[in-house]
Amino acid sequence: QVQLVQSGAEVKKPGASVKVSCKASGYTFTGYYMHWVRQAPGQGLEWMGWINPNSGGTNFAQKFQGRVTMTRDTSISTTYMELSSLRSDDTAVYYCARVGNWNDGADFDYWGQGTLVTVSS
Amino acid sequence: SSELTQDPAVSVALGQTVRITCQGDSLRSYYASWYQQKPGQAPVLVIYGKNNRPSGIPDRFSGSSSGNTASLTITGAQAEDEADYYCNSRDSSGNLVVFGGGTKLTVL
């Protein structure tokens, strides 16, 4: 069965960087784009960007351009999301999510369990 | 516009039918997907494409679309359907993704 397992919670100081991992299993890793979505406490879902695990190509929401990096290691079926210059309003749960259909929509059919990143001095 | 707009809150009596809507220009070109999120849990896909349900999603959930508006309908709402519901789709450029602000569904 498809599983996305994320790394554990992180506490960071303002200005630092955080790197969250997402290990995929149960399907062909390079066959599906991986997206990252975050959710601040009590707020809605916010899309951050995607990575093509096959080519390593990426695309990001304008809001995160210059601050976010997404990479992958195909040997261990894992994608990474790194966010730099952290601020207190980056405190959120970060999710990885696989896109099942990209033809006529954006169906996130499997999600990781989420990683809480807390930014506090 | 690359935004998707949802009503913040909707309520429904137990066993009745409720429709949750999502509006945005990109929905003229792309289907919306719908997600259910309960407190402390990751979102779960409930409707995608024209009107498709992933395995395990009850058939009381259905989707439809007209013009720039997509709708999620729950026919015979149950207590366990109380949750936040989000729509998403690709943006008008087709390269990015947008989410609606979410609708909190209360089952009375």
Side-chain angles (χ1 to χ4, degrees):
Chain A
Q1 74 284 18
V2 174
Q3 280 193 304
L4 302 177
V5 179
Q6 299 183 220
S7 49
E10 303 262 14
V11 179
K12 296 292 183 181
K13 293 192 182 303
S17 297
V18 69
K19 190 172 186 177
V20 180
S21 68
C22 171
K23 182 172 177 59
S25 61
Y27 70 98
T28 302
F29 176 68
T30 53
Y32 297 81
Y33 282 35
M34 193 69 75
H35 293 238
W36 289 85
V37 177
R38 76 177 188 179
Q39 187 171 36
Q43 302 301 307
L45 301 173
E46 181 176 33
W47 180 77
M48 298 181 69
W50 57 250
I51 180 168
N52 177 346
N54 189 38
S55 67
T58 56
N59 206 348
F60 307 125
Q62 176 97 11
K63 174 176 181 176
F64 300 103
Q65 293 272 4
R67 266 208 317 144
V68 69
T69 305
M70 294 181 188
T71 56
R72 91 293 190 211
D73 184 339
T74 56
S75 69
I76 55 172
S77 301
T78 299
T79 57
Y80 303 91
M81 186 283 301
E82 184 170 18
L83 189 62
S84 62
S85 303
L86 290 169
R87 308 183 288 256
S88 58
D89 61 0
D90 291 317
T91 294
V93 175
Y94 289 76
Y95 294 101
C96 60
R98 188 188 86 161
V99 152
N101 166 43
W102 188 246
N103 291 331
D104 52 13
D107 314 330
F108 294 168
D109 56 358
Y110 289 94
W111 294 66
Q113 82 275 21
T115 296
L116 175 61
V117 175
T118 303
V119 183
S120 173
S121 55
Chain B
S1 169
S2 60
E3 297 178 345
L4 296 179
T5 302
Q6 298 182 241
D7 291 329
V10 171
S11 62
V12 61
L14 185 67
Q16 296 304 299
T17 296
V18 63
R19 186 171 68 179
I20 299 170
T21 61
C22 173
Q23 286 188 299
D25 287 344
S26 66
L27 298 182
R28 298 184 185 277
S29 304
Y30 300 104
Y31 289 114
S33 300
W34 290 94
Y35 305 86
Q36 177 191 72
Q37 187 181 35
K38 297 182 179 179
Q41 298 182 18
V44 173
L45 179 67
V46 294
I47 291 289
Y48 66 96
K50 190 172 184 180
N51 180 19
N52 301 301
R53 284 176 288 106
S55 174
I57 301 302
D59 61 5
R60 63 179 179 271
F61 290 88
S62 62
S64 61
S65 182
S66 178
N68 72 337
T69 301
S71 299
L72 171 70
T73 300
I74 307 174
T75 304
Q78 301 298 303
E80 61 263 33
D81 299 334
E82 187 164 287
D84 294 327
Y85 290 86
Y86 295 90
C87 62
N88 85 328
S89 189
R90 293 164 69 172
D91 77 337
S92 297
S93 76
N95 296 319
L96 309 179
V97 174
V98 288
F99 276 93
T103 298
K104 183 176 182 60
L105 175 66
T106 300
V107 180
L108 304 172

